[in-house]
Amino acid sequence: MKTSIATVSISGDLREKLAAIAAAGFQGIEIFENDFLAFDGSPREVGKMVRDAGLEITVFQPFRDFEGMPEPQRQRTFDRAERKFDVMQELGTDLMLVCSSVSPLALGGIDRSAADFHELGERAANRGLRVGYEALAWGRHINDHRDAWEVVRRADHPGIGLVLDSFHTLARKIDVESIRSIPGDRIFLVQLADAPMIDMDLLYWSRHFRNMPGEGDLPVLDFMRALVSTGYDGVLSLEIFNDQFRGGSPKSISVDGHRSLVYLMDQVRRLEPEIAIDLPDMPDRIEAKGVEFIEFAANEEEAAELAAMFHALGFELAGRHVSKDVTRWRQGSVGEAGINLVINTEREGFAHSSYLVHGTSVCAIGLKVDDAGATVERSRVLGADPFRQPVGPAELKIPAIRGVGGGVVYFMDAKSELARVWEIEFQPASDGKQPRNAGLTTIDHIAQTMNYEEMLTWLLFYTSIFQTHKTPMVDVVDPAGIVRSQAIENPQGSLRITLNGAENRRTLAGHFIAESFGSAVQHVAFATDDIFKTVSALRANGFKPLEISPNYYDDVEARFALDRDLTDRLRADNILYDRDDHGEYFQLYSPNYGEGFFFEIIERRGPYRGYGAANAQFRIAAQKRHIRAKGVPAY
Ligand code: MG
Ligand code: MG
């Protein structure tokens, strides 16, 4: 199947759009009439520009309010169609999309519409052109692909076919099984879009909230499985109307779009192995088992501060790199996986350039996977950028790709020598300090913060590469605005990444993005089995928690009907509390480090599923007080 995208889906002028679409790997574009009207070149020049970019025009759209018109409007719509046929011939495309009429003048009746299409088919065929008919979910008489198909069937003309659009079908919850009985060669074009599940007016939903397949909540995969059973082998075209995308980078939206189509076709291929789908081979979604390490880039002075923070959190210096200025910090009982933190103070290489741009921050994450090589291979086919840098004689080549904000994601597996990377690359070391073990067992979650426009990018990135799922979006209330938060989790809960999309710079998340010059890890949360034991060890290590307003605890006590004793302990230790139907959640925060990075310590008592979103506003208020206290202006 050929991949295509409607020019309306991305921002920029036509020239910028074409460059971005071609670079992302698409084969075709839908010319959306307004894009073309706004361009100051002739149709012939536009057609040449598209072909010079290595693309073809898969369809010219939309032609509105065609069928069912009474005279004299009927005659005028045919005249209008002939004018558009002229344009199409100059552009060099043979397919026009007619969407179902919304005109109050339009008359109903399948046969009347079919007769109009038969005549249009004759006129199109005279010029070697074709016409596809699409049911808009809000069409006046035709708003269901089953009715549009009936019009096409009765029009009974080889120049007239059906256009399916996953949004129109799925938004109306029309059974996709009805697609299976349509002959594949009568489907002229398939448009794909997903959308978040929002209960709202269909037209408004469609015009503003569509997103790439896999980014939303609609069962686009079921739609595709039904589609391929028809034998359809034509164009798969993304038609995405989305306010964020229109304001986003044409390049990254195009890359996301292409990734979404490849991922979708890959899923279909695995579920329908008897159907041939033309797609490069790639490994199946990768099982990510957890986080092997988190690497911080710092200069020497800041590394010392970071090390002091690690000590306070109960981490011990465990090793020094054999050839680089890199240290390894550990916590966790012997024999268990535990937690590895790495501080990189090299004066060259990736970590250093990351430090120069972002300041002291997380520059890389190491994920434990089944097969590191296969992970890079799948990522590459899905359009991720492999990451390489020169390695020294004693170093291993650790497979890696570029992740959020230009950070690096390394992959470690147990089947190669990567399993021994700590022994091979690090020598045991000690700084003479023995902080009390704080009982931190694993990394519970990594919180990445980004602009809201980028959130869907990373959601698709993680879910298409790894066997992970996304949780429903929640709003985190910052006194200065809303931050949207959604988590990526593996089935066993050993990999959890929360994505936080900031809409403005005055929110703490937005401030963090501005100060750290881009998307990045904003906090890392460690798990403990006993938060109160952890607190006493931390206290012995000199750890100072983020101070939470005492008022918060009166509310928590009332809200959850907690024992006074428990509330008093929470208040004394600055621990935040939450509960859901599955269990309890205890949270403790470090103060902000550097430009807003912080650590969190959590205990999940029972299979609590969330991340304490309801507490975020109190945490944020406390952090803002802390920032102010340090003399940073309150925004
Ligand atoms: Mg459409
Ligand atoms: Mg958290």
Side-chain angles (χ1 to χ4, degrees), residues 142 205 208 290 297 393 403 509 527 595 600 602 631:
I142 302 287
W205 189 19
H208 299 274
E595 299 302 350
E600 179 182 10
I602 64 105

Side-chain angles (χ1 to χ4, degrees), residues 231-423:
Y232 178 79
D233 193 26
V235 173
L236 287 184
S237 193
L238 296 167
E239 189 196 32
I240 316 290
F241 308 96
N242 181 299
D243 300 343
Q244 261 84 35
F245 293 1
R246 282 183 191 131
S249 135
K251 181 169 176 278
S252 77
I253 303 291
S254 301
V255 168
D256 288 353
H258 197 258
R259 171 175 296 154
S260 77
L261 286 181
V262 172
Y263 174 39
L264 186 62
M265 288 192 279
D266 180 54
Q267 287 170 286
V268 173
R269 165 170 67 181
R270 290 173 201 284
L271 292 164
E272 310 283 347
E274 69 288 356
I275 292 170
I277 292 179
D278 180 25
L279 195 66
D281 269 343
M282 64 173 133
D284 200 354
R285 287 204 305 165
I286 305 295
E287 186 187 344
K289 297 163 186 289
V291 180
E292 176 67 28
F293 68 89
I294 292 180
E295 179 173 343
F296 294 80
N299 69 11
E300 265 159 43
E301 189 184 325
E302 284 161 351
E305 281 178 52
L306 200 53
M309 171 78 96
F310 290 175
H311 278 139
L313 287 164
F315 286 85
E316 276 188 64
L317 178 67
R320 283 185 202 284
H321 195 273
V322 291
S323 60
K324 289 183 171 164
D325 288 329
V326 175
T327 51
R328 175 195 183 198
W329 300 76
R330 256 191 79 70
Q331 184 161 187
S333 43
V334 181
E336 274 180 40
I339 307 167
N340 293 299
L341 304 178
V342 168
I343 303 178
N344 187 326
T345 48
E346 280 282 288
R347 298 265 169 94
E348 56 187 41
F350 163 71
H352 184 63
S353 47
S354 171
Y355 170 74
L356 292 179
V357 177
H358 304 291
T360 298
S361 58
V362 173
C363 64
I365 298 170
L367 294 183
K368 283 184 270 198
V369 296
D370 236 7
D371 183 332
T375 311
V376 169
E377 178 56 15
R378 181 172 176 86
S379 310
R380 193 187 57 74
V381 178
L382 285 163
D385 293 330
F387 169 81
R388 285 183 204 93
Q389 74 173 348
V391 295
E395 288 182 277
L396 300 179
K397 267 201 185 89
I398 307 179
I401 58 173
R402 289 278 182 178
V404 175
V408 168
V409 187
Y410 289 104
F411 304 117
M412 326 275 284
D413 60 31
K415 66 199 316 172
S416 66
E417 60 179 353
L418 292 170
R420 292 175 45 241
V421 65
W422 302 117
E423 289 166 50

Side-chain angles (χ1 to χ4, degrees), residues 61 97 134 136 163 165 168 191 210 239 241:
Q61 74 129 327
L97 182 153
E134 174 192 37
L136 294 180
V163 174
D165 180 320
H168 294 303
Q191 296 179 313
R210 287 184 177 215
E239 189 196 32
F241 308 96

Side-chain angles (χ1 to χ4, degrees), residues 63-331:
F63 190 77
R64 298 185 193 277
D65 296 336
F66 165 71
E67 76 280 15
M69 285 298 196
E71 292 295 0
Q73 288 85 358
R74 182 175 185 279
Q75 190 51 48
R76 270 186 239 140
T77 57
F78 275 97
D79 293 345
R80 191 156 58 86
E82 293 280 4
R83 295 270 299 275
K84 298 302 171 191
F85 287 162
D86 295 340
V87 172
M88 286 168 59
Q89 288 184 304
E90 290 197 35
L91 278 170
T93 182
D94 75 335
L95 182 63
M96 178 163 83
L97 182 153
V98 176
C99 51
S100 60
S101 181
V102 299
S103 167
L105 297 175
L107 304 168
I110 299 274
D111 284 328
R112 177 183 285 107
S113 295
D116 286 347
F117 272 105
H118 186 89
E119 184 177 339
L120 190 63
E122 280 295 301
R123 291 179 183 228
N126 285 339
R127 300 178 184 233
L129 304 177
R130 301 176 303 146
V131 173
Y133 183 42
E134 174 192 37
L136 294 180
W138 53 88
R140 186 164 176 83
H141 298 290
I142 302 287
N143 52 34
D144 182 321
H145 71 251
R146 292 169 295 194
D147 295 334
W149 164 235
E150 192 52 26
V151 169
V152 167
R153 200 181 66 77
R154 292 193 206 174
D156 192 23
H157 194 285
I160 299 295
L162 183 67
V163 174
L164 290 172
D165 180 320
S166 63
F167 180 87
H168 294 303
T169 294
L170 299 173
R172 291 184 64 93
K173 301 192 171 63
I174 298 167
D175 186 359
V176 293
E177 296 307 304
S178 60
I179 293 170
R180 292 181 185 267
S181 57
I182 302 170
D185 61 356
R186 305 299 299 141
I187 303 171
F188 282 3
L189 178 72
V190 172
Q191 296 179 313
L192 292 174
D194 201 338
M197 204 50 95
I198 314 174
D199 195 11
M200 64 160 68
D201 172 68
L202 287 172
L203 189 143
Y204 197 79
W205 189 19
S206 172
R207 293 270 165 87
H208 299 274
F209 293 93
R210 287 184 177 215
N211 53 26
M212 305 298 178
E215 291 181 343
D217 302 318
L218 300 179
V220 183
L221 180 57
D222 295 342
F223 175 93
M224 273 297 289
R225 292 181 73 178
L227 175 72
V228 296
S229 76
T230 68
Y232 178 79
D233 193 26
V235 173
L236 287 184
S237 193
L238 296 167
E239 189 196 32
I240 316 290
F241 308 96
N242 181 299
D243 300 343
Q244 261 84 35
F245 293 1
R246 282 183 191 131
S249 135
K251 181 169 176 278
S252 77
I253 303 291
S254 301
V255 168
D256 288 353
H258 197 258
R259 171 175 296 154
S260 77
L261 286 181
V262 172
Y263 174 39
L264 186 62
M265 288 192 279
D266 180 54
Q267 287 170 286
V268 173
R269 165 170 67 181
R270 290 173 201 284
L271 292 164
E272 310 283 347
E274 69 288 356
I275 292 170
I277 292 179
D278 180 25
L279 195 66
D281 269 343
M282 64 173 133
D284 200 354
R285 287 204 305 165
I286 305 295
E287 186 187 344
K289 297 163 186 289
V291 180
E292 176 67 28
F293 68 89
I294 292 180
E295 179 173 343
F296 294 80
N299 69 11
E300 265 159 43
E301 189 184 325
E302 284 161 351
E305 281 178 52
L306 200 53
M309 171 78 96
F310 290 175
H311 278 139
L313 287 164
F315 286 85
E316 276 188 64
L317 178 67
R320 283 185 202 284
H321 195 273
V322 291
S323 60
K324 289 183 171 164
D325 288 329
V326 175
T327 51
R328 175 195 183 198
W329 300 76
R330 256 191 79 70
Q331 184 161 187

